[in-house]
Amino acid sequence: MFDALTEKLSGVFDRLGGRGVLSEKDVDEALREVRVALLDADVALPVARDFIAKAKERAAGEAVVRSVRPADQVVKIVYDGLIETLGGEEPVPLNLAAAPPAVILMAGLQGSGKTTTAAKLALRISKTERKKVMMASLDTRRPAAMEQLALLGQQAEVDTLPIVAGQSAPDIARRAMSAAKLAGYDVLILDTAGRTTLDEAMMAEAAEIARISQPTETLLVADSLTGQDAVRTAKAFHERLPLTGLILTRADGDGRGGAALSMRAVTGLPIKFLGAGEKIDALDVFDARRVAGRILG
Ligand code: GDP
């Protein structure tokens, strides 16, 4: 997802490294090129601006031009800046601390990969954390979505709430919670209905489900291929829902990486996972340090 950015940044650093002794003007010029590379990768303008302002401050504070290996120092400053922009060094684990079942609410636009990601999470939590997981689809408008979740549940070997036609989404949420409680499930993943565009009815329904189910995690699934639209979507959802984190899908695609780089700074929310393929086990914990390392090649 970051290939083009990686290539541009390595070009900047190669030119800088080739110079040996650096002046402040050289460092400024390199950081200007880093800014252009970030914007080309579709990073939000205020995020790129802030990134460069901080990098300049650090370069001045650490007296880069007088250091032994100034070009390496600049690379280190960019690396640290990327980690900070991506949300810090340590991955943020899922919060499942609640009287069982801990509820995870999945939100997002239709087509973002929400249902697939619900199943990927269910698989991860049941296999790696050895917890008993149930999933339920609240998409009352699209029976196919409910069936899709049931199928994915079979693949993940995770139970899904039996489908009962004609129930409202809040009713299904209540039924899922009592069923999960009665049968001793540790975690309940609720897959809310998606729409193709942001609309008030979808937001109001998701907000009501959040009130009813009191999730410990409310995760927005956003498609990284949609770039700045994904960031706008996350912002709009966060204004209506108490989101606790983000999952970016299609990190295996040829997106430019701007969404991943802007999300945290624009929304203040941690990216918790990256969807990295269609397969049900293609979900990576988001690790800012690893991603920053990958960007720098
Ligand atoms: P929903 O409408 O948001 O629930 O989206 P779906 O879960 O039905 O996913 C839509 C399509 O995107 C499906 O074909 C998924 O297999 C695919 N998909 C989901 N996540 C990823 C991902 O991380 N990478 C890739 N390449 N495809 C994905």
Side-chain angles (χ1 to χ4, degrees):
M1 155 161 83
F2 298 107
D3 292 353
L5 179 60
T6 301
E7 203 181 311
K8 280 190 189 132
L9 290 180
S10 73
V12 176
F13 297 142
D14 284 350
R15 283 192 290 282
L16 205 60
R19 281 206 188 107
V21 180
L22 296 184
S23 68
E24 262 161 46
K25 206 171 138 258
D26 293 328
V27 174
D28 272 2
E29 172 63 18
L31 290 177
R32 204 187 58 77
E33 286 173 19
V34 170
R35 181 176 186 270
V36 172
L38 291 173
L39 293 175
D40 285 348
D42 203 22
V43 172
L45 182 61
V47 177
R49 220 182 251 152
D50 191 48
F51 183 100
I52 298 304
K54 281 188 186 144
K56 275 189 180 161
E57 245 170 58
R58 280 189 193 138
E62 291 167 23
V64 162
V65 290
R66 291 194 297 282
S67 67
V68 185
R69 301 171 68 100
D72 290 351
Q73 287 276 90
V74 174
V75 177
K76 173 81 169 70
I77 284 168
V78 172
Y79 174 69
D80 290 345
L82 286 172
I83 291 176
E84 194 183 318
T85 306
L86 291 165
E89 293 197 359
E90 294 302 319
V92 185
L94 285 176
N95 172 17
L96 301 174
V103 174
I104 301 178
L105 193 62
M106 308 292 292
L109 292 179
Q110 194 174 310
S112 60
K114 185 168 51 63
T115 302
T116 310
T117 305
K120 287 178 178 180
L121 262 187
L123 176 69
R124 168 177 290 268
I125 296 168
S126 71
K127 290 282 175 318
T128 57
E129 303 196 23
R130 304 203 168 279
K131 290 189 189 280
K132 204 175 160 196
V133 185
M134 178 193 266
M135 297 192 289
S137 169
L138 307 181
D139 199 340
T140 53
R141 290 167 204 84
R142 287 192 316 143
M146 293 195 167
E147 281 150 28
Q148 184 195 358
L149 190 72
L151 274 175
L152 287 164
Q154 284 170 17
Q155 278 178 40
E157 295 176 10
V158 165
D159 295 331
T160 45
L161 184 75
I163 298 171
V164 174
Q167 277 197 316
S168 70
D171 283 346
I172 301 173
R174 288 191 196 93
R175 181 162 61 92
M177 284 165 65
S178 51
K181 202 172 190 170
L182 266 176
Y185 285 88
D186 303 306
V187 177
L188 170 64
I189 300 181
L190 296 177
D191 187 18
T192 61
R195 303 278 172 85
T196 46
T197 52
L198 290 165
D199 77 60
E200 177 48 34
M202 168 176 68
M203 290 294 184
E205 184 176 284
E208 192 188 350
I209 305 289
R211 267 195 307 278
I212 293 170
S213 62
Q214 295 292 308
T216 54
E217 291 282 0
T218 303
L219 302 173
L220 179 83
V221 178
D223 178 354
S224 64
L225 292 184
T226 62
Q228 290 308 301
D229 274 345
V231 180
R232 275 188 286 277
T233 301
K235 236 180 123 185
F237 269 93
H238 196 31
E239 278 159 17
R240 290 298 308 274
L241 278 180
L243 295 180
T244 55
L246 306 162
I247 301 181
L248 284 181
T249 57
R250 304 203 174 88
D252 53 312
D254 55 2
R256 288 181 285 169
L261 278 164
S262 308
M263 277 291 186
R264 174 66 198 234
V266 173
T267 64
L269 291 163
I271 303 174
K272 297 208 171 182
F273 296 95
L274 290 178
E278 296 201 30
K279 290 221 182 85
I280 200 158
D281 60 354
L283 186 72
D284 299 332
V285 170
F286 185 86
D287 179 341
R289 196 195 292 247
R290 247 186 59 202
V291 174
R294 224 173 82 198
I295 292 173
L296 292 188

